[in-house]
Amino acid sequence: VDDDGAAGGNGTQANPLQTIEAGVERVVAGGTVHVADGNYTPAATIQVNKALSIIGPASGEPMTGTA
């Protein structure tokens, strides 16, 4: 997820989704949403109905792979 990504991203590092909500919706159960540095303002409370991890730049984890 990258707030600077273009609209219509597919969730890869090269073509990220724009919102954390979109990342949470699209990630498979047990998957990881990688969030790039930026400013994110959710439209509402983000509903999570599956096991997942959300990792951002402050986590110390490298941003590699796809979400």
Side-chain angles (χ1 to χ4, degrees), residues 3-4 6 8 10 15-17 23 25-26 32 34 39-42 48-49 54-55 57-58 64 67:
D3 63 339
D4 291 329
N10 63 9
N15 197 12
L17 300 167
E25 285 180 15
R26 303 247 333 242
T32 301
H34 295 272
N39 295 310
Y40 300 91
T41 304
V48 179
N49 60 2
I54 299 176
I55 296 176
T64 59

Side-chain angles (χ1 to χ4, degrees), residues 25-54:
E25 285 180 15
R26 303 247 333 242
V27 71
V28 297
T32 301
V33 178
H34 295 272
V35 180
D37 190 28
N39 295 310
Y40 300 91
T41 304
T45 300
I46 300 172
Q47 299 293 321
V48 179
N49 60 2
K50 56 191 160 191
L52 58 86
S53 297
I54 299 176

